[in-house]
Amino acid sequence: MQGHGYGGTPALRYRYRVAGCVLLVAHLLAVCWLALRPLTAPWVSAAHLEPLASIRADLELGPWAAARAIGAGLVLLAPLGVLLPWARGRIVASPLGSLTRTVFTGAMVSLGLQVIQSGVVGQVLDVDALLLNVTGVTVTHLAVVPAVRARLRRKGDGTRPEALRREECPQGLTPTIPRVGIAP
């Protein structure tokens, strides 16, 4: 049987993936609850479809209000940068592939959230919220995932990542039988 670069024992991998999936679902439920609540406002502005317009408007309000508004946009979906790779469960993975999958999934979750949010009373579609959410996912992934994967590979079974990649060839390793010699 050929390895798939997961590292660790099968039971441990299963526990990590289950924990990652449970935390991912819990986070998404909390985000939906926070983002899809109706807001009570006497009036609602039109959708913000011009990139960086609402960020500029937030910056005009002052440093604390801007930091609060921009930080909220960055932090809302930022845990997806860690939870999505964790739920996938791979220790040995292409850094660029992992980043691409995670950012794309975060962008689609954010876009879906923005589209659904536009139908809620008091909520409007905001392109800047989408940009901030994707930036938060990207920064979190780049800051945490490569370091954690490297640490888990070192701590794991002692094999180097190159050796694991070499074992993942399409045909697998050549089987050997210890009692049979090489033919003359």
Side-chain angles (χ1 to χ4, degrees):
M1 186 162 99
Q2 93 186 34
H4 294 288
Y6 284 100
T9 64
L12 185 62
R13 289 192 311 257
Y14 179 74
R15 288 183 191 148
Y16 279 144
R17 289 191 73 189
V18 167
C21 289
V22 167
L23 289 173
L24 180 65
V25 168
H27 174 69
L28 289 175
L29 287 173
V31 165
C32 288
W33 180 76
L34 287 172
L36 300 178
R37 292 180 303 176
L39 298 177
T40 55
W43 59 273
V44 177
S45 62
H48 302 283
L49 298 178
E50 180 185 344
L52 305 178
S54 62
I55 292 176
R56 280 192 298 267
D58 288 338
L59 291 172
E60 291 174 0
L61 295 175
W64 293 110
R68 182 175 171 260
I70 293 171
L74 287 172
V75 170
L76 183 66
L77 292 181
L80 290 182
V82 174
L83 292 176
L84 288 170
W86 187 1
R88 189 156 187 254
R90 285 195 178 258
I91 293 175
V92 177
S94 164
L96 183 60
S98 176
L99 177 66
T100 304
R101 282 187 299 272
T102 303
V103 170
F104 179 75
T105 305
M108 291 299 109
V109 167
S110 180
L111 180 63
L113 189 64
Q114 288 296 316
V115 169
I116 293 170
Q117 196 175 26
S118 66
V120 176
V121 176
Q123 302 277 2
V124 293
L125 182 72
D126 189 5
V127 173
D128 292 336
L130 177 71
L131 293 173
L132 288 172
N133 289 338
V134 171
T135 303
V137 170
T138 305
V139 168
T140 304
H141 181 85
L142 288 173
V144 175
V145 173
V148 169
R149 280 187 175 152
R151 179 179 236 184
L152 288 173
R153 280 189 299 244
R154 279 193 310 266
K155 185 175 140 183
D157 54 355
T159 59
R160 296 186 328 264
E162 298 86 24
L164 289 174
R165 284 193 199 105
R166 197 171 46 243
E167 291 176 4
E168 291 180 0
C169 57
Q171 292 85 18
L173 296 175
T174 304
T176 58
I177 301 172
R179 292 179 283 152
V180 176
I182 298 176

